[in-house]
């Protein structure tokens, strides 16, 4: 055994071979790996693309008011635009329902909500959005979510000084749509 230890000591010392640093692979683009296409906003509108659908004013979910009184009570198209945008802003900031809005195209939502309100209020607009059932499919909207949204709409209408009676008439037009929106 002593001879074995001595033999080991007499071995020439060799340097360990130099190895190159391990090659680190570039990060994996998982979207590309699984065929997920990145959506690009339309340069003119700023909206994300949507699957094709038939555009029809009936998709707005309610027949429009007849005559100019309701549109005037809401401040015409300018007032209606502010109410729609403010409703979305309040809802995005509302901790009760903000999560619902995070994954959605807010540019498109503000436009189509304005069109829907404008059409229903008889202010001379056409509605180009999808129907309520298709728009809210798989969103998991609950009654309490809808109530929070209505509260935000009511606040936006109050801020625009829409008369209370006109607010109620408008909400009465919108209320039947809840069956197409609430899914759980």
């Amino acid at each position: 055994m002593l001879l074995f230890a001595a033999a080991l000591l007499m071995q020439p010392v060799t340097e360990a071979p130099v190895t190159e640093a391990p090659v680190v692979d570039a990060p994996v683009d998982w979207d590309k790996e699984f065929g997920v296409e990145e959506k690009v906003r339309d340069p003119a509108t700023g909206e994300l693309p949507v699957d094709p659908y038939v555009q029809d004013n009936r998709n707005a979910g309610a027949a429009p008011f007849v005559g100019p009184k309701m549109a005037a009570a809401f401040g015409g198209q300018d007032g209606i635009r502010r109410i729609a945008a403010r409703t979305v802003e309040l809802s995005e900031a509302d901790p009760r329902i903000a999560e619902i809005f995070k994954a959605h195209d807010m540019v498109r939502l503000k436009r189509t909500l304005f069109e829907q309100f404008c059409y229903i209020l008889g202010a001379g607009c056409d509605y180009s959005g999808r129907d309520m059932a298709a728009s809210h499919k798989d969103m998991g909207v609950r009654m309490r979510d809808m109530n929070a949204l209505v509260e935000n709409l009511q606040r936006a209408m109050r801020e625009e000084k829409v008369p209370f009676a006109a607010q109620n008439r408008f909400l009465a037009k919108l209320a039947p749509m809840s069956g197409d929106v609430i899914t759980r």
Side-chain angles (χ1 to χ4, degrees), residues 23-36:
V23 176
V24 177
D25 291 331
V28 176
D29 182 347
W30 291 110
D31 286 344
K32 186 176 181 181
E33 189 74 21
F34 288 101
V36 176

Side-chain angles (χ1 to χ4, degrees), residues 39-52:
K39 292 184 177 182
V40 178
R41 291 192 179 273
D42 181 291
T45 66
E47 296 179 15
L48 293 170
V50 296
D51 292 335

Side-chain angles (χ1 to χ4, degrees), residues 103-163:
H104 297 285
D105 183 351
M106 293 298 103
V107 175
R108 179 178 173 77
L109 176 61
K110 285 178 184 177
R111 178 182 61 79
T112 56
L113 191 62
F114 159 71
E115 289 175 359
Q116 181 188 35
F117 289 0
C118 185
Y119 172 75
I120 293 171
L121 289 165
C125 298
D126 287 315
Y127 177 64
S128 67
R130 292 177 288 197
D131 67 82
M132 295 302 100
S135 295
H136 298 88
K137 184 178 184 236
D138 300 326
M139 288 178 62
V141 176
R142 300 166 295 195
M143 179 61 85
R144 67 181 180 203
D145 303 325
M146 180 60 76
N147 290 341
L149 177 68
V150 170
E151 288 173 21
N152 294 332
L153 171 57
Q154 288 173 313
R155 178 175 169 186
M157 291 187 293
R158 278 193 312 274
E159 289 174 3
E160 282 294 315
K161 310 224 182 319
V162 174

Side-chain angles (χ1 to χ4, degrees), residues 56-102:
D56 190 313
N57 280 331
R58 289 176 292 188
N59 290 346
F65 287 99
V66 177
K69 287 185 179 183
M70 283 298 286
F74 278 75
Q77 288 189 9
D78 290 340
I80 296 166
R81 187 178 310 280
R82 286 190 299 271
I83 290 167
R86 184 68 175 139
T87 300
V88 173
E89 291 165 4
L90 290 168
S91 298
E92 285 180 290
D94 188 331
R96 299 172 296 173
I97 58 174
E99 196 64 35
I100 294 171
F101 291 85
K102 283 186 180 176

